[in-house]
Amino acid sequence: MSHWVFGYGSLIYKVDFPFLERVEAHIVGWERRFWQGSHDHRGTPEAPGRVVTLVAATGKRCDGVAYCITEAVFDHLDHREKNGYQRVDTAMTLADERQVTATVYIADPGNHAFLGPEPLPELARHIAASHGPSGSNREYLLTLAASLRELGVHDQHVFDLETLLLSDS
Ligand code: SIN
């Protein structure tokens, strides 16, 4: 039995799991935001980093990458996304127009690690200063921005943060 998973953050570029198919895709009704705290990858419990989650936004489209995986791969993904993310099922459109149901990992505002909005310059400073077991928070943001650009995806929130981060360094 295979399943579709939608990746919109590190799942776009850090593919440390097997998959049957990888294809560009989008979902509707969500926006990418650096509003989730990271205790285990790009920060620590004492000094959390900031990573992306999805925030409900009527009519907005979020572009990313879809993976077709076997059920067994969820063990790995659940562990990787364990710091506040929950599996949510949603409709997804693949680049070739196929309509499928996908699982997406979303960290909602009720989770213990949620940080929420801040003015962008503060978000950028926070990201510039954070490090965790998976590396610097700066690398997470810059790699995500580069990966989105490679896919031809424009994400103002991510690109504005990238500009601020680079102008500060
Ligand atoms: C995702 O990439 O889909 C989830 C968030 C993350 O791991 O960065």
Side-chain angles (χ1 to χ4, degrees), residues 71-86:
E71 178 81 30
V73 177
F74 277 116
D75 286 347
H76 172 76
L77 294 179
D78 287 352
H79 180 75
R80 172 170 159 175
E81 305 296 327
K82 66 183 182 308
N83 192 222
Y85 292 86
Q86 303 280 347

Side-chain angles (χ1 to χ4, degrees), residues 4-19 21-23 32 41-42 51-52 54 63-67 69 73-74 76-81 85-87 103-106 140 143-144 147-148 151:
W4 286 101
V5 170
F6 178 71
Y8 58 91
S10 69
L11 288 177
I12 293 178
Y13 62 83
K14 187 177 173 197
V15 190
D16 58 357
F17 53 89
F19 59 86
E21 192 178 344
R22 180 183 191 271
V23 56
R32 196 171 3 238
H41 286 296
R42 304 293 174 160
V51 290
V52 287
L54 294 180
D63 286 87
V65 171
Y67 299 92
I69 60 167
V73 177
F74 277 116
H76 172 76
L77 294 179
D78 287 352
H79 180 75
R80 172 170 159 175
E81 305 296 327
Y85 292 86
Q86 303 280 347
R87 290 192 210 168
T103 296
V104 52
Y105 285 87
I106 295 178
Y140 176 101
T143 311
L144 177 59
S147 305
L148 291 174
L151 292 172

Side-chain angles (χ1 to χ4, degrees), residues 6 9 20 49 111 144 155 167:
F6 178 71
L20 306 167
N111 85 82
L144 177 59
D155 188 313
S167 68

Side-chain angles (χ1 to χ4, degrees), residues 2-7 19-28 61-69 90-104 151 153:
S2 61
H3 298 268
W4 286 101
V5 170
F6 178 71
F19 59 86
L20 306 167
E21 192 178 344
R22 180 183 191 271
V23 56
E24 290 168 32
H26 72 266
I27 60 174
V28 173
R61 163 177 167 154
C62 179
D63 286 87
V65 171
Y67 299 92
C68 185
I69 60 167
T90 186
M92 175 172 72
T93 306
L94 303 176
D96 60 11
E97 303 298 334
R98 266 179 291 167
Q99 305 281 331
V100 296
T101 298
T103 296
V104 52
L151 292 172
V153 173

